[in-house]
């Protein structure tokens, strides 16, 4: 893993928006990293779950963030979303232990954590920020 301080040095502005999409092959349970208690957390009385998924390939960008959250469908299931760098390309590294959460009533739950994104020569340290609005189901993400 890398230093959170180093990741925060580039805090200046947004690099580009990240992609949040419906769950697909990237969100399969066999990709959940173990021990589960270290790589999954719940928020809002268990209604929201954030988990780290490792798809192994491509080797330079195999990690994705799984988000389960309200709103619920007609059967009572939460929405399932997957957060990746771009398309199906994942993160090079995610410091899941750095995950911090806050709440803003006008936005919803706000999460931040240190990540590494694949670069042209080597991976780059960044901070990932994403929000989850449980009422609307909107999930917004960006890198700093």
């Amino acid at each position: 893993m890398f230093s959170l301080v180093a990741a925060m040095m580039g805090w200046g502005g947004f690099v580009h928006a990240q992609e949040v999409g419906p769950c697909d092959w990237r969100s399969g349970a066999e990709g959940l990293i173990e021990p589960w208690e270290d790589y999954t957390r719940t928020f809002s009385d268990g209604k929201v779950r954030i988990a780290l998924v490792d798809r192994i390939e491509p080797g330079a960008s195999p990690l994705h963030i799984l988000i389960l959250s309200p709103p619920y469908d007609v059967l009572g299931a939460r929405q399932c979303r997957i957060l990746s760098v771009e398309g199906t390309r994942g993160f090079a590294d995610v410091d899941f232990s750095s995950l911090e959460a806050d709440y803003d009533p006008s936005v919803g739950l706000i999460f931040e954590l240190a990540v590494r994104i694949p670069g042209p020569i080597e991976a780059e340290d960044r901070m990932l920020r994403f929000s989850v609005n449980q009422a609307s189901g909107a999930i917004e993400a960006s890198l700093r």
Side-chain angles (χ1 to χ4, degrees):
M1 293 290 169
F2 56 95
S3 165
L4 182 58
V5 174
M8 293 179 72
M9 288 173 57
W11 191 258
F14 293 108
V15 175
H16 53 83
Q18 300 315 282
E19 292 190 24
V20 177
C23 286
D24 56 19
W25 62 270
R26 294 168 288 167
S27 60
E30 73 280 2
L32 290 170
I33 300 175
E34 296 188 70
W36 292 350
E37 59 272 11
D38 291 345
Y39 297 100
T40 183
R41 291 187 41 204
T42 59
F43 302 87
S44 188
D45 297 322
K47 295 175 190 150
V48 175
R49 178 174 297 278
I50 308 297
L52 189 58
V53 178
D54 184 351
R55 298 314 310 171
I56 302 170
E57 290 293 335
S61 56
L63 301 173
H64 304 271
I65 298 170
L66 175 68
I67 305 166
L68 299 173
S69 71
Y72 298 93
D73 67 16
V74 295
L75 298 175
R78 296 174 285 188
Q79 72 171 345
C80 182
R81 299 290 181 261
I82 196 81
L83 173 55
S84 301
V85 173
E86 182 179 31
T88 59
R89 187 175 70 147
F91 298 92
D93 197 5
V94 175
D95 183 0
F96 201 78
S97 67
S98 73
L99 180 64
E100 294 183 6
D102 200 2
Y103 177 73
D104 178 336
S106 66
V107 177
L109 286 167
I110 301 168
F111 301 95
E112 279 189 345
L113 72 161
V115 298
R116 289 178 60 84
I117 61 168
I121 298 172
E122 63 182 49
E124 302 172 12
D125 296 343
R126 297 282 188 243
M127 290 299 292
L128 173 65
R129 181 179 187 150
F130 62 99
S131 62
V132 176
N133 184 313
Q134 296 178 71
S136 69
I139 299 174
E140 305 276 330
S142 62
L143 281 174
R144 293 183 182 228

